Amino acid sequence: GGLSLRPGGMSLTPGGGLGLSSAEKKRDEAKTGAAMPSSQADEISTGQKDVDGQDGFTWGRVVSVRSGWGFLQPIGQVATKEDLFFRAADVVGMSGTDPGEDKSGLKIVLPHGRNSHGHKNFWLNPDDEVSYVISNDHTGKPCAVDIIKEKKGAWRTGRRSLTGHRGALPKKGDNIKDQLNRLQDMDADELLQNASLLRDVLENSEFNPSHLYAIVSMLAASDLVEDTRSDPLYRLFLDSKVMHTTLRTAIIKQSTSGRHSGTFLEECSRLIVELVLRASSPGELRYKLPLAELVEAWEQSVREGSSSTRNGLPESVSRMLLCLQKHFPEDVKLDRIMGTRAKKVARTAAEEYTELLEADWYEDMPILPTSHEMLGQCAFEIEANMRTYEKCEDFIHTHFMLLREDYIEPLRAGIKLFMQGKHSPKDLHVYTGIKVIGILSTWEGLVYRIQLEKSQTRRINWEKTKQLMYGSLLCFSADNFESLIWATVWRRDEHLIATEGQLDVRLPFEPFDDQLAPGKSFCCIENVTIYFEAYRYVLVALQSMRPTDVPFQDMLLHPSPDPMPPTFLTATNDMFHFHNVFHCCEKPDATVQAPKTFKILQNWPDTLQKSLDIDPSQLAAVKHALTNQIALIQGPPGTGKTWVGLRIVQALLDNTTHTRGSPMLVVCYTNHALDQFLEGIFNFCGRVARIGSRSKSEALKSRNLKDLVYEVQPSKEYFHARKGLMERRNALREQLESLLQDVNRQTVLAEGVQELMSERQFRQFYDGFLEYMGDAAKKFPEDACEIDEDIWDRIMHEWLETDKDLSRLCPLAATKVGGLPPPSAVAGLDDSEEEDDEEDAVAKEARNNEEEEQKAERDLTEKRVGGDDQEVKKNTGDFLAELPNPWLPSMEDHYDKLSPDMRTMDWREEADLWRLPLKKKREIYRQWLLEVHHEARQCLPELSQQLERNALHRAALERDRKLGVLREMDFVGMTTTAVSKYQVLLKELRPEIVIVEEAAEVLEAHILTALHPRTQHVVLIGDHQQLRPGTAVYRLAKHFNLDISLFERLIKNGCEHVTLLQQRRMHPKISRLIKPLYPELRDHQSTNNYPDVMGIDARCFFLKHDSYEDDEGESHSKTNSHEVNIVAALAAFLVKSGYEDAQITVLSPYLGQVRNLKNRIRRDPTTQGVAVQAVDNFQGEE
């Protein structure tokens, strides 16, 4: 609690802010509410102009003082005698010439350059009289500002001696520029006394990035940095919207434009170091601070030699970056800035295996599988998902390993079966003879263009097939799978792949792999039973997670934990009002009024149940959800889980607005369920944002994040930073084009040889040519520097004694066959039979979300650029560098083929290259070609990293815009797939309240990655007795409990939970089917009134038959034609009996049967609208 200075007065709250005690709040509400006449309320809020004052000032007497602040009491004819809080910084002068003396009073130090009657300092003691102006503090409560120490009795005259100086407090008509100027005029002591003014500036709606430079400079000043009392100022900045939405943009702009060179970057570095050093848990700041952007800016500064780094990185900056590297080694790498980069070496399978054995913990484990894992057994041990954990590290490690194995095992099994020729074409698609034909620089980074053999793509309907869909994981090999290259499908253009057999793929983690080179023939395997993107983002998030990042560890790890209220809820602030929550469910004939305001941590009023038309279990669920850190609500079918969830979020909205610093996060398993839940919220709250483009809701059409972002006009700083990044990217693309030309070139240019030779050597070589030409030498320039490529071509033909194309002398790499299987093994690429239009719900949601999000991001990017068509095309289009020629062999491979005398030859030591034998000349030419080729090739990894970082910075720039919009919302809605994809966005948004619907269907790892250290409240709504989370590997579900959700584990672990006990969906003759699972489930009386089924006597019946299943060949699914015909006939009969076709739903447990049912039912024009779905995909849509 706070320290109360006077009975019934104001109290100071932790964190430096001001707040009212509960009693004072009530009195204040009584005074400013209905009990107070409106004229008096207006008088207080506008400054209490009274008859004794002029120009809005009031008279008062100091009643108590402390270090830096005090209280005064109004005197004269005023509306209220309530004590008013004031700060020393709000005292602007004195009327007399006597400064007074220290009588345990308050010392007033006027700002730099100011004095009052010649005194910079004076004293304010109890009983001193003052004049002041009424203002409001940050909570809106009255306080005193613009205070002047007056002579005794001056209040009786009604005349104020001074009119107030230009001080720290806002004056009427002040704009943000004036406020900034006042802050910049202050020294450290004055800044500390004026923290509220800094807060006002940071929260000012007129704040724009141009104001940031002054704030950064002020907070990075040495006197403030060295002052141990300045923590509140840095905390204000750290928690401000400015820090989250503007700092990164300004740093990116600096790294691209060079503006604010040197000092701004150094001040930013100093400020960020201070924020880290003053934080109680620096690790929590990793996703909050623009660390990667700062490193990139310094690297760019060093590379281009700006004024501050012309002689290298300043020592002070190196020290600061070393400090940041110590706390954030994964984000800040000083070696990269200094220019020392480790050479990337391709690893053998044995080296990968050794690394794998040494990586015995989740932080070190490679996310992508290694060759040994694919061809051998699992090289590590996995543990079952346990009910309790001793250590948080074990908790994270277990879920990381289980999730990783869930996607790797199907890949491993598929490749092993493929190598044995036993794979199923339904699960494994095999493509052979694949070649790399180009490299693209895109808005997302570096992408490879590959070409498939047309014989394998010609017969496939690419508009319908799920082969090579966006995000599919592909395994490439050119050496019988001794080494593997993993890539994901980045873009499948239906026209391009149908006509040219071309596809764009992207490496998941490293942007460039030298093994994926033109000239090789690859075999590619696609396993369609798993969708890698759904795993990838969660695995990355888990791997970056540290034990300190996991909240609620007592609840999550230990058995039978004691229930705890949300951390934002205490006995002093648990007064909640439920006017909106209970308004819709009040009994019209209730004999008692429902209490609308009460303390929720105490016993809830008994009259609630009597006055509300609400099931007791639903009321218990609302209470449980509001008063527990982790709330678990089980909802059997038809019991109103969504209705209860909406009541909970409305109560949280109405009562946590001032305690929350971020929007509430709503997570659902499917898009349909998310739309339904958000529509319910949208009915009482318009500040809703939906992340993801798969919404079918008209009501939420305008609430999609991409549309909300597009409606907000970006700042000038954003455009400058974006333009700088575009220009930087275009320059990098030009470098890439030049390097790839050198790599692709199969002849040596004069420019390349000049770089290999010294100036004297090149001059001697040219003189040798002139001598060789004799009289014809007069046609050529005397100076070697004047020769062009035509002359050089003539020189090379003469030296090599040939008139043929010089590219024929180019050394070729040995062609390897990429583990090509016999033709029979590649069967199954014929797409003549119809594709399943149903698939695993997780994969389907993830796949669709990914594709639509990619399109939406591209569209939004193009909309933002503006300008003419050519400029738009230049800035948004992909850059394609074609790779028509095979890349040359390595120097080692080339030397291995040479004879001993050729191997020992060094052309640099030859005195006269023109007198050498032809065989040696041609070998020297090959070596020149190889040296130029590999010098350019060795630059590609670093250049690709720079392009990747450029893309990441552009993404960060857009993310800041999204964060700016999201922080203005009360609710943010996402599917579990979106939660995994937008991990970085969530880490920076840091929602304190998370509500998960269908929580029992979500893997624990997905929910775990949605939490962060500042999460204060989690509400899980679901039913673990219905569907469990889906897994790709049955063994992991059966023996390792991977399919046990967090919801189910906590309930079985003894956590308190509430089960809803009354259903309103089913007639009792149907609900009896599930009552063995839910013995306490009751039917609402309204269910007895449901009408009879037209045309059928029984509401529920079972049909027995003895017709066998169809032969589905290699399909894993099941079909039965007899049942298809019966169901189709029954649907048609029900339509004829009077039902609309859209009122009928057919469910089946098998995807194959779903496909056949759809085909059969849709043949009948009367049953076109009948819904046919798999059982697993239907839950939540009842």
Side-chain angles (χ1 to χ4, degrees), residues 386 388-394 557-558:
M386 298 176 286
T388 60
Y389 294 86
E390 290 186 8
K391 297 179 181 178
C392 192
E393 295 93 329
D394 298 332
L557 307 182
H558 303 146

Side-chain angles (χ1 to χ4, degrees), residues 254-269:
Q254 160 67 20
S255 69
T256 56
S257 67
R259 203 174 166 193
H260 303 284
S261 179
T263 56
F264 176 69
L265 267 188
E266 191 163 351
E267 287 168 348
C268 274
S269 304

Side-chain angles (χ1 to χ4, degrees), residues 303-331:
R303 184 184 295 116
E304 297 183 358
S306 67
S307 58
S308 62
T309 57
R310 190 170 293 118
N311 298 320
L313 204 62
E315 185 179 350
S316 60
V317 175
S318 297
R319 287 198 301 268
M320 289 187 286
L321 292 173
L322 278 172
C323 174
L324 294 177
Q325 181 176 275
K326 176 183 176 183
H327 289 92
F328 311 102
E330 297 174 359
D331 303 284

